């Protein structure tokens, strides 16, 4: 959704539209202060959608996915997201809801009070293309489909500098704990990399790559080529596009070394693979940062192409007027549904990495323990969640035993996420989880046993398919 300085009659919709003309000075001030603007009932939106309002049509189409709440008489309102910084408007949430209801029920050893309310808030990002008035509180600009702009990498460098110097929650890389091997980027030839055997106590800063292998045939490190790859190097043009792109990103970030599993682990050596899998946790934890090629389903795809999803969102943007000085378009939220989130090996890679630069389907993102940023914004992006049928539950019963809490609250959510992911080789099922298990090791949990902990037995064996 774009807002800008245009006159009211330049926007084509009917006067009765409940949403296209909400940008008045009074309404904007109310939303900025945390208030709601009541827009009317579902019935009105349906009527205006039938007449031809694109925004009402889109909202009704989304709400109709939840027939339980998309009912005549239910009221619709507009507000900003709860975690928006004071004085800034990053998104408008159009919320459909019905009144609260309360009920008590008995469960287990105590009584539970359910405070139920059904609501569905659909977030629409809002930006301007430059406005003397609106720029004060709408700081977002139209998204750029290009992910290779210098400003993106300059932003990542600044975030890295801040993270390493100021963030107490983010683990700093230990340069004395280098991987067995890394790729060294040639200083003179931007298209050549060398396999570099790290010396004991050698201090290096390196980037790690998290990506999906897919089905594309790729050059891998083997007993036969390791000598040539070390002495003569590898021509980047012969590598899969995702790996070639990761070399480009590493150069742009000013880092000399890069760790990629297919080229830093001897793939036809079971002994080397076993040794490196054990070291996987330290490899990602000690990386200066990790590149997540989240948008690529296959290593042959790459991840630095212009974003078609962003182009489509721009094409579908709506232009709404600011009545008093004016406004311009509408951007639907990006749904984070990256293929990398379906793969088992990448779960521990992204979880263990203290610093991630994510190249997903939209603009690149910076993630660390204390900061989440999209280059071009001074604040973190809205979570963009669509929630329905929320329940606030107050439990009046004893807490679980202390010796059980750590396992049930910390480890089983890991298993739940991991179990939904795919593996190319089922024999990797335990290996792809081993680094995370090492991170969760504690005396309270006891002995690790194939995805479970001694302290969780026998209850940990009770499971069912969802």
């Amino acid at each position: 959704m774009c807002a800008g300085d245009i006159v009211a009659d330049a926007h084509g919709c009917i006067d009765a539209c409940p949403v296209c003309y909400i940008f008045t000075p009074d309404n904007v001030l109310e939303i900025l202060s945390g208030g709601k603007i009541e827009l009317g009932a579902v019935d009105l939106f349906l009527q205006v959608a039938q007449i031809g309002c694109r925004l009402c049509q889109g909202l009704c189409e989304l709400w109709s996915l939840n027939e339980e709440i998309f009912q005549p008489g239910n009221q619709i309102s507009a507000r900003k997201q709860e975690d928006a910084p004071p004085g800034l408007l990053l998104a408008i949430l159009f919320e459909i809801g019905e009144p609260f209801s309360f009920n008590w029920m008995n469960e287990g050893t105590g009584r539970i009070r359910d405070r139920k309310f059904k609501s569905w808030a659909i977030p629409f990002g809002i930006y301007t293309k430059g406005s003397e008035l609106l720029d004060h509180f709408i700081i977002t600009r139209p998204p750029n489909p290009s992910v290779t702009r210098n400003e993106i990498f300059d932003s990542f460098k600044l975030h890295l500098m801040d993270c390493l110097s100021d963030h107490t929650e983010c683990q700093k890389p230990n340069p004395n704990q280098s991987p067995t091997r890394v790729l060294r980027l040639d200083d003179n030839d931007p298209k050549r990399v060398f396999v570099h055997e790290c010396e004991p106590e050698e201090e290096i800063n390196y980037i790690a790559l998290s990506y999906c292998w897919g089905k594309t045939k790729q050059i891998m490190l083997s007993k036969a080529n390791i000598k040539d790859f070390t002495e003569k190097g590898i021509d980047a043009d012969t590598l899969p596009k995702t790996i070639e792109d990761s070399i480009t990103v590493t150069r742009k970030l000013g880092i000399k070394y890069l760790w990629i599993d297919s080229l830093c682990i001897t793939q036809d050596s079971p002994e080397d693979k076993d040794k490196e899998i054990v070291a996987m946790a330290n490899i990602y934890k000690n990386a200066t940062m990790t590149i997540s090629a989240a948008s690529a389903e296959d290593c042959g795809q790459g991840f630095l192409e212009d974003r078609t999803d962003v182009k489509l969102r721009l094409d579908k943007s709506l232009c709404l007027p600011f009545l008093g000085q004016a406004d311009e378009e509408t951007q639907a939220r990006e749904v984070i549904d990256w293929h990398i989130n379906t793969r088992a090996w990448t779960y521990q890679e992204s979880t263990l990495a203290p610093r991630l630069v994510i190249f997903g389907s939209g603009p690149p993102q910076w993630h660390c323990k204390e900061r989440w940023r999209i280059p071009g914004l001074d604040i973190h992006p809205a979570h963009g969640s669509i929630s329905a049928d929320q329940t606030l539950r107050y439990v009046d019963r004893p807490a679980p035993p202390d010796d059980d809490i750590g396992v049930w609250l910390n480890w089983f959510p890991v298993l739940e996420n991991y179990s939904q992911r795919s593996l190319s080789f089922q024999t990797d099922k335990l290996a792809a989880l081993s680094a995370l298990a090492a991170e969760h090791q504690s005396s309270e949990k006891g002995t690790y046993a194939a995805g479970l902990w001694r302290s969780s037995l026998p209850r940990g064996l009770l499971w069912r398919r969802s």
Side-chain angles (χ1 to χ4, degrees):
M1 181 188 299
C2 181
D5 295 335
I6 57 175
V7 295
D9 59 5
H11 176 77
C13 196
I14 64 171
D15 291 341
C17 180
V19 66
C20 282
Y21 301 107
I22 65 170
F23 284 101
T24 65
D26 288 343
N27 282 348
V28 168
L29 288 174
E30 179 68 19
I31 291 174
L32 283 172
S33 65
K36 285 186 176 182
I37 305 299
E38 299 299 333
L39 303 177
V42 167
D43 318 61
L44 177 59
F45 277 76
L46 286 170
Q47 292 171 11
V48 178
Q50 290 175 352
I51 294 172
C53 174
R54 285 177 55 206
L55 182 52
C56 289
Q57 288 171 354
L59 287 167
C60 289
E61 183 178 346
L62 288 170
W63 282 320
S64 66
L65 297 175
N66 188 337
E67 295 181 357
E68 184 179 4
I69 197 168
F70 189 58
Q71 296 293 328
N74 283 350
Q75 297 296 309
I76 296 167
S77 59
R79 60 180 175 86
K80 70 174 185 176
Q81 73 273 27
E82 291 88 345
D83 60 348
L88 295 180
L89 190 60
L90 309 179
I92 298 287
L93 279 75
F94 295 106
E95 185 171 38
I96 177 174
E98 62 181 30
F100 288 102
S101 63
F102 297 87
N103 65 288
W104 286 87
M105 62 173 149
N106 295 319
E107 183 174 305
T109 58
R111 291 183 80 204
I112 295 177
R113 179 167 69 113
D114 278 355
R115 181 190 184 204
K116 291 188 174 180
F117 61 100
K118 295 183 176 68
S119 69
W120 200 351
I122 299 176
F124 277 70
I126 183 169
Y127 64 87
T128 75
K129 293 180 178 177
S131 164
E132 184 177 351
L133 176 62
L134 300 176
D135 284 356
H136 292 291
F137 55 88
I138 302 177
I139 64 172
T140 312
R141 295 297 172 265
N144 193 317
S146 171
V147 298
T148 57
R149 306 185 314 276
N150 288 334
E151 65 188 75
I152 291 175
F153 297 98
D154 290 342
S155 174
F156 286 156
K157 289 178 185 178
L158 288 175
H159 293 323
L160 175 62
M161 189 184 308
D162 290 344
C163 181
L164 294 178
S165 60
D166 300 332
H167 292 184
T168 57
E169 297 297 321
C170 299
Q171 177 178 320
K172 309 300 185 288
N174 184 344
N176 292 319
Q177 293 187 2
S178 302
T180 303
R181 304 174 197 89
V182 290
L183 296 179
R184 175 175 58 82
L185 278 58
D186 192 286
D187 293 330
N188 301 314
D189 185 353
K191 287 293 187 178
R192 185 156 294 275
V193 294
F194 295 82
V195 171
H196 175 79
E197 297 274 350
C198 299
E199 298 292 337
E201 306 300 321
E202 182 179 5
E203 296 187 2
I204 63 169
N205 293 314
Y206 64 94
I207 286 176
L209 174 65
S210 177
Y211 71 112
C212 299
W213 282 27
K215 297 180 179 180
T216 295
K217 187 176 181 180
Q218 55 179 314
I219 295 174
M220 297 185 185
L221 187 67
S222 67
K223 297 175 183 176
N225 61 28
I226 188 169
K227 187 173 186 295
D228 280 348
F229 285 3
T230 302
E231 297 176 355
K232 299 178 182 179
I234 310 167
D235 184 350
D237 287 334
T238 65
L239 298 172
K241 193 67 171 68
T242 292
I243 294 179
E244 187 179 0
D245 285 351
S246 70
I247 293 171
T248 299
V249 171
T250 302
R251 286 192 183 279
K252 284 180 173 288
L253 293 172
I255 306 292
K256 187 175 181 178
Y257 297 100
L258 173 63
W259 188 90
I260 302 174
D261 52 7
S262 60
L263 293 171
C264 295
I265 300 175
T266 311
Q267 298 297 319
D268 59 353
S269 169
E271 296 80 12
D272 194 58
K273 290 179 73 172
D274 290 345
K275 178 170 71 75
E276 295 304 304
I277 285 174
V278 171
M280 197 74 74
N282 279 335
I283 290 173
Y284 282 96
K285 286 169 58 180
N286 281 303
T288 301
M289 68 174 71
T290 296
I291 298 169
S292 174
S295 63
E297 298 182 20
D298 186 281
C299 65
Q301 290 181 335
F303 57 88
L304 293 182
E305 74 286 346
D306 288 352
R307 296 304 189 248
T308 55
D309 286 356
V310 174
K311 293 178 182 178
L312 289 172
R313 287 205 303 270
L314 287 172
D315 291 342
K316 293 181 179 179
S317 290
L318 300 177
C319 173
L320 301 188
F322 181 69
L323 304 180
Q325 220 142 32
D327 256 78
E328 296 176 26
E329 294 172 36
T330 309
Q331 173 190 344
R333 78 181 183 99
E334 172 189 357
V335 178
I336 300 179
D337 189 19
W338 300 322
H339 185 77
I340 201 168
N341 292 334
T342 69
R343 306 301 298 173
W345 276 105
T346 59
Y347 180 46
Q348 65 178 12
E349 295 167 3
S350 60
T351 302
L352 293 171
R355 286 160 292 276
L356 272 175
V357 288
I358 301 176
F359 289 86
S361 56
Q365 301 180 17
W366 165 277
H367 286 210
C368 67
K369 304 300 182 185
E370 294 191 17
R371 183 176 292 174
W372 177 14
R373 294 288 188 271
I374 292 178
L377 290 180
D378 293 329
I379 31 65
H380 67 78
H383 295 305
S385 60
I386 295 178
S387 57
D389 193 15
Q390 302 176 49
T391 300
L392 302 180
R393 176 163 288 193
Y394 304 90
V395 182
D396 180 22
R397 61 183 175 189
D402 289 342
D403 60 355
D404 216 23
I405 290 177
V407 175
W408 291 94
L409 294 187
N410 298 328
W411 180 247
F412 283 100
V414 170
L415 285 186
E416 182 179 9
N417 188 317
Y418 178 77
S419 299
Q420 298 174 39
R421 295 171 176 245
S422 303
L423 283 163
S424 298
F425 305 101
Q426 289 304 310
T427 52
D428 288 345
K429 194 170 189 67
L430 294 178
L433 186 64
S434 59
L436 278 175
E439 285 300 292
H440 283 260
Q441 178 76 52
S442 68
S443 57
E444 290 79 13
K445 292 185 178 71
T447 305
Y448 177 65
L452 298 174
W453 300 94
R454 185 181 182 89
S455 65
S456 71
L457 299 174
R459 281 194 292 171
L461 296 172
L462 302 176
W463 60 274
R464 60 185 172 86
R465 293 179 66 124
S466 59

